[in-house]
């Protein structure tokens, strides 16, 4: 489908969840670009608020302290899949939020209910304002943030495959150490009491272990187009019934 043609198609909200290293970000950006949709990396928002907490000397180990400051930073996410941006209080933090320090602390910050409330409201606002539809990727999108999304997809992969991919992204990182870090973060994100990492009951699970990125993108694009086609057919039927 041509990018321009997608502009006239039925708006669709797509939730893509799953742990790190499953190809979530690369897939989501490519699908959004191919179908003319907006794109939102919710993980970047949690990284951004974590970066702000660290930069401002907030004790990450003190949930009360983190909660008290949750509403302070102003986080702005650009939703162009070709050039996704993120700023905190007007500062471009696309680079700083990817440091190991932020990565090691993001699970603790994102587990604080007040933080999740602030970020969830921001995510819903962005999704609701996407004129042509949006692909939103994260860990609790289909279950908590956008439970009424038109299509929910849950990406999975073996720990070994995920560690290999993440090590490749981070360059010269020890695969074994990366695997252990991923498993530790999975446990933290899956066991938190507020909006844990989980597959929605009505999500389509896609195991990316043995698939290339191109194959995963093709699979998700097909799922979105099928859902959007069904939505257009339903809308046409409702319009005929109203005549």
């Amino acid at each position: 489908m041509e990018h321009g043609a997608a502009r006239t198609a039925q708006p669709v909200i797509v939730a893509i969840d799953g742990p790190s290293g499953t190809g979530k970000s690369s897939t989501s950006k490519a699908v959004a670009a191919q179908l003319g949709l907006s794109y939102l990396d919710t993980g970047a928002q949690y990284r951004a608020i974590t970066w702000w907490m660290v930069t401002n000397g907030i004790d990450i180990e003190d949930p009360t302290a983190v909660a008290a400051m949750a509403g302070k930073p102003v986080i702005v996410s650009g939703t162009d899949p070709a050039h996704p941006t993120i700023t905190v209080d007007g500062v471009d933090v696309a680079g700083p939020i990817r440091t190991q320090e932020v990565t090691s602390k993001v699970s603790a910050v994102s587990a604080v209910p007040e933080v999740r409330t602030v970020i969830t409201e921001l995510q819903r606002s962005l999704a609701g304002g996407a004129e042509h539809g949006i692909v939103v990727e994260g860990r609790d999108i289909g279950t908590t943030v956008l439970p009424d999304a038109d299509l929910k997809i849950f990406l999975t992969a073996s720990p070994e495959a995920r560690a290999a991919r993440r090590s490749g992204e981070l360059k010269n990182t020890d695969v074994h150490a990366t695997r252990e870090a991923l498993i530790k973060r999975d446990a933290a994100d899956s066991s938190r009491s507020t909006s844990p990492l989980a597959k929605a009951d009505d999500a389509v699970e896609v195991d990316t272990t043995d698939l290339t990125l191109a194959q995963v993108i093709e699979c998700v694009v097909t799922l979105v187009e099928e859902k959007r086609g069904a939505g257009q057919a339903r809308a046409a039927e409702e319009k005929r019934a109203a005549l």
Side-chain angles (χ1 to χ4, degrees):
M1 180 183 290
E2 293 183 2
H3 189 84
R7 293 291 182 188
T8 60
Q10 188 85 1
V12 63
I13 293 179
V14 182
I16 299 184
D17 291 306
S20 301
T22 53
K24 225 174 36 237
S25 293
S26 299
T27 299
S28 299
K29 278 187 281 193
V31 169
Q34 194 168 325
L35 296 179
L37 305 173
S38 296
Y39 160 75
L40 178 60
D41 174 4
T42 64
Q45 295 175 316
Y46 283 106
R47 285 175 171 273
I49 199 168
T50 300
W51 173 86
W52 187 91
M53 295 284 176
V54 171
T55 302
N56 285 277
I58 309 303
D59 183 0
I60 303 301
E61 303 303 319
D62 182 355
T64 303
V66 172
M69 305 302 285
K72 294 289 186 181
V74 177
I75 299 171
V76 178
S77 297
T79 58
D80 179 353
H83 302 287
T85 58
I86 186 158
T87 64
V88 179
D89 297 338
V91 178
D92 179 359
V93 295
I97 64 172
R98 302 294 171 183
T99 63
Q100 183 55 42
E101 182 178 24
V102 170
T103 298
S104 67
K105 293 179 168 61
V106 67
S107 284
V109 173
S110 62
V112 176
E114 289 80 359
V115 168
R116 300 205 73 82
T117 296
V118 167
I119 300 297
T120 296
E121 288 177 357
L122 178 58
Q123 292 162 1
R124 287 174 177 161
S125 175
L126 286 166
E131 182 181 356
H132 303 289
I134 191 169
V135 177
V136 184
E137 60 134 316
R139 284 168 162 72
D140 66 339
I141 310 307
T143 53
T144 301
V145 180
L146 301 169
D148 296 323
D150 298 298
L151 176 64
K152 301 175 187 178
I153 294 170
F154 193 84
L155 298 185
T156 63
S158 70
E160 291 73 22
R162 293 165 52 209
R165 291 169 185 164
R166 186 47 54 92
S167 295
E169 292 170 5
L170 299 176
K171 308 289 188 259
N172 304 318
T173 309
D174 178 73
V175 176
H176 177 73
T178 301
R179 179 180 181 276
E180 294 306 307
L182 286 174
I183 291 173
K184 183 178 179 181
R185 182 164 181 201
D186 286 351
D189 292 348
S190 300
S191 61
R192 65 175 177 241
S193 58
T194 305
S195 301
L197 164 64
K199 175 189 170 187
D201 292 338
D202 53 347
V204 178
E205 184 169 326
V206 178
D207 189 332
T208 70
T209 302
D210 298 318
L211 300 178
T212 64
L213 177 59
Q215 288 172 324
V216 178
I217 293 168
E218 182 182 7
C219 174
V220 175
V221 165
T222 299
L223 288 168
V224 175
E225 289 183 325
E226 287 175 352
K227 178 61 69 172
R228 192 151 59 177
Q232 287 175 311
R234 186 167 57 251
E237 181 63 32
E238 289 174 354
K239 185 176 181 180
R240 281 195 298 269
L243 295 177

